């Protein structure tokens, strides 16, 4: 497409954008995959600021998740697909900022699992190409891309799981397109929410705390909601974060420490809790890339600097969610009113940070 055709296309899309919600005087931020866990967290926290108008992009505008987001202030739901560049051009038209979030998940298949690197790479290429067009026209001022935390020990980085390397390759593509100065890379670690996975054996129970890494290996984790908190802070402080990348985490514990914490939260009367590592051979069969990830965490490890993050969080008025808080809330959600009253008496409980 030549420059003249591009200009015509973007003028048409600018006109089309006026057919979304009535244009606000607030800067517009487009959020891709808005109904995903990460996308929803970003939309929720940006909505609360009242500083932005959020264009929540989803393939299914009529879904229940879309409906829930549409009820938030400053939010409009727009249909768009990372595999359809033209839809992205329409959705991104006239925006101040973009939160880009891609996924490798493409349905489970025997011998492959559900994660497909090329599937995510196609999304990333489309996303960056459209952002680049907008940047060339001068309308887009801030692009935030959600990647994954870099390793603590770079010399032990290989082999990295495909759903990590795909995001790091998209990062490189951002820089190759000359977009570093208007970009911020957010790099979260593993989610707390993964402990509620549908994978066999990877779900917290009364007596077992499961995980995919060895019991004595340190594992950095984060609440998905905190990705929204950090993203909000990034958009509200562009001068501090433009051209930068930040590894983010909420806590770091071994598997044994996680199990002990879960037992402490549930109370001694609930019985002992043991940590159970999902057998690596089983994990390699069910979801091969997660097996590679587990090896990578044990060998290289996530490299978020929690000490520095806490200082930065204090400066930005961010309250990082510790694993203990997330687990305690999980307990309250699954217990009876009588059990909740018992838990409320645990005055000596001290969250792990």
């Amino acid at each position: 497409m030549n420059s003249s055709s591009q200009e015509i296309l973007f003028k048409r899309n600018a006109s089309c954008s006026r057919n979304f919600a009535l244009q606000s005087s607030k800067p517009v931020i487009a959020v891709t995959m808005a109904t995903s866990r990460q996308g929803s967290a970003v939309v929720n926290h940006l909505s609360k600021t009242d500083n932005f108008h959020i264009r929540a992009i989803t393939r299914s505008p009529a879904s229940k998740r879309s409906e829930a987001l549409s009820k938030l202030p400053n939010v409009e739901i727009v249909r768009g697909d990372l595999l359809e560049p033209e839809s992205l051009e329409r959705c991104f038209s006239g925006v101040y900022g973009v939160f880009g979030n891609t996924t490798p998940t493409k349905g489970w298949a025997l011998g492959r699992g559900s994660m497909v690197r090329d599937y995510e790479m196609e999304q990333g290429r489309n996303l960056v190409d459209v952002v680049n067009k907008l940047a060339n026209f001068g309308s887009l001022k801030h692009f935030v891309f959600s990647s994954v935390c870099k390793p603590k020990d770079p010399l032990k980085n290989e082999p990295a799981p495909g759903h990590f390397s795909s995001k790091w390759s998209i990062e490189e593509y951002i820089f190759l397109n000359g977009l570093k100065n208007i970009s911020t890379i957010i790099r979260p670690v593993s989610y707390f929410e993964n402990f509620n996975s549908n994978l066999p054996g990877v779900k917290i129970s009364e007596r077992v705390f499961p995980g995919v890494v060895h019991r004595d290996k340190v594992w950095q984790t984060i609440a998905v909601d905190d990705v929204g908190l950090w993203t909000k802070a990034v958009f509200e402080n562009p001068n501090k974060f433009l051209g930068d990348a930040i590894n983010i985490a909420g806590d770091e514990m071994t598997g044994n420490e996680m199990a002990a914490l879960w037992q402490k939260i549930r109370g001694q009367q609930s019985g002992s809790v043991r940590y159970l590592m999902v057998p690596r051979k089983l994990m390699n069969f069910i979801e091969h890339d997660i097996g590679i990830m587990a090896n990578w965490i044990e060998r290289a490890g996530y490299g978020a600097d929690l000490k520095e993050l806490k200082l930065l969080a204090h400066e930005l008025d961010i309250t990082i969610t510790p694993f203990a808080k997330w687990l305690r809330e999980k307990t309250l959600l699954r217990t009876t009113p009588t059990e909740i009253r018992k838990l409320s008496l645990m005055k000596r409980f001290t969250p792990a940070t």
Side-chain angles (χ1 to χ4, degrees):
M1 183 183 293
N2 58 40
S3 59
S4 177
S5 298
Q6 285 183 340
E7 188 170 1
I8 292 171
L9 175 62
F10 278 96
K11 284 181 178 179
R12 184 194 312 146
N13 284 336
S15 175
C16 182
S17 71
R18 288 191 289 271
N19 293 324
F20 291 141
L22 291 175
Q23 293 302 293
S24 169
S25 58
K26 300 172 185 176
V28 178
I29 294 179
V31 177
T32 66
M33 292 180 58
T35 57
S36 67
R37 291 186 301 187
Q38 197 174 122
S40 294
V42 171
V43 172
N44 269 281
H45 283 288
L46 289 177
S47 170
K48 291 176 184 176
T49 69
D50 201 35
N51 293 327
F52 305 103
H53 182 80
I54 300 95
R55 198 172 289 168
I57 302 170
T58 174
R59 292 181 299 181
S60 305
S63 70
K64 290 183 179 180
R65 291 182 179 180
S66 295
E67 183 181 358
L69 291 179
S70 71
K71 295 177 180 178
L72 297 174
N74 307 307
V75 175
E76 63 176 318
I77 306 298
V78 181
R79 190 201 172 279
D81 192 330
L82 287 164
L83 297 178
E84 300 173 3
E86 288 187 2
S87 76
L88 294 182
E89 292 170 356
R90 175 177 56 82
C91 293
F92 292 175
S93 178
V95 303
Y96 159 81
V98 169
F99 174 77
N101 180 24
T102 56
T103 180
T105 306
K106 193 187 178 181
W108 190 85
L110 183 64
R112 184 200 71 187
S114 65
M115 298 184 180
V116 180
R117 188 178 189 278
D118 289 344
Y119 178 63
E120 182 164 31
M121 291 297 291
E122 183 180 357
Q123 298 168 48
R125 181 178 294 277
N126 291 340
L127 172 65
V128 176
D129 285 348
V130 174
V131 165
N132 193 26
K133 289 179 183 179
L134 286 167
N136 288 335
F137 279 93
S139 57
L140 179 66
K141 303 300 181 183
H142 200 169
F143 174 41
V144 178
F145 176 67
S146 178
S147 182
V148 69
C149 187
K150 288 294 184 76
K152 182 176 182 179
D153 188 342
L155 295 181
K156 296 180 180 178
N157 186 45
E158 297 296 340
H163 68 291
F164 284 21
S165 64
S166 57
K167 286 184 170 61
W168 295 335
S169 293
I170 294 169
E171 283 190 40
E172 293 178 9
Y173 192 58
I174 290 170
F175 300 146
L176 285 172
N177 276 273
L179 296 171
K180 181 178 180 179
N181 290 339
I182 68 161
S183 299
T184 304
I185 311 297
I186 295 280
R187 298 182 182 134
V189 295
S190 298
Y191 298 147
F192 296 164
E193 286 76 8
N194 287 344
F195 292 107
N196 276 333
S197 169
N198 291 324
L199 290 174
V202 191
K203 193 164 187 174
I204 303 169
S205 68
E206 284 73 13
R207 297 297 180 87
V208 175
F209 194 100
V212 297
V213 301
H214 196 274
R215 66 181 66 247
D216 61 359
K217 295 294 184 179
V218 173
W219 189 358
Q220 292 187 339
T221 49
I222 189 171
V224 172
D225 190 66
D226 281 15
V227 178
L229 278 173
W230 283 104
T231 301
K232 174 183 76 72
V234 165
F235 275 122
E236 290 184 322
N237 299 272
N239 292 336
K240 188 174 187 65
F241 290 103
L242 281 169
D244 203 359
I246 177 172
N247 294 325
I248 58 173
D251 224 325
E252 55 182 7
M253 308 177 77
T254 66
N256 279 340
E257 288 171 338
M258 292 177 181
L261 176 61
W262 181 229
Q263 179 173 327
K264 184 176 183 180
I265 291 172
R266 289 187 54 77
Q268 296 300 326
Q269 73 279 5
S270 298
S272 62
V273 176
R274 65 189 179 94
Y275 178 79
L276 177 66
M277 186 186 83
V278 180
R280 196 61 48 87
K281 287 184 178 180
L282 175 62
M283 183 55 64
N284 285 334
F285 174 76
I286 297 172
E287 194 67 80
H288 181 65
D289 211 46
I290 299 298
I292 296 175
M293 181 195 77
N295 289 333
W296 183 92
I297 292 173
E298 293 176 353
R299 182 181 65 254
Y302 290 118
D305 187 330
L306 280 167
K307 184 178 179 180
E308 291 296 322
L309 279 175
K310 288 175 182 176
L311 292 174
L312 182 58
H314 179 73
E315 177 186 339
L316 297 171
D317 196 27
I318 291 175
T319 302
I320 295 175
T321 304
F323 196 39
K325 182 177 185 293
W326 183 83
L327 279 175
R328 196 178 192 193
E329 289 175 351
K330 174 183 173 61
T331 301
L332 294 175
L333 287 173
R334 65 188 292 170
T335 51
T336 65
T338 300
E339 290 172 322
I340 289 174
R341 285 194 293 273
K342 289 180 180 178
L343 286 168
S344 69
L345 298 176
M346 297 170 62
K347 302 296 185 181
R348 292 178 295 176
F349 174 77
T350 302
T353 57

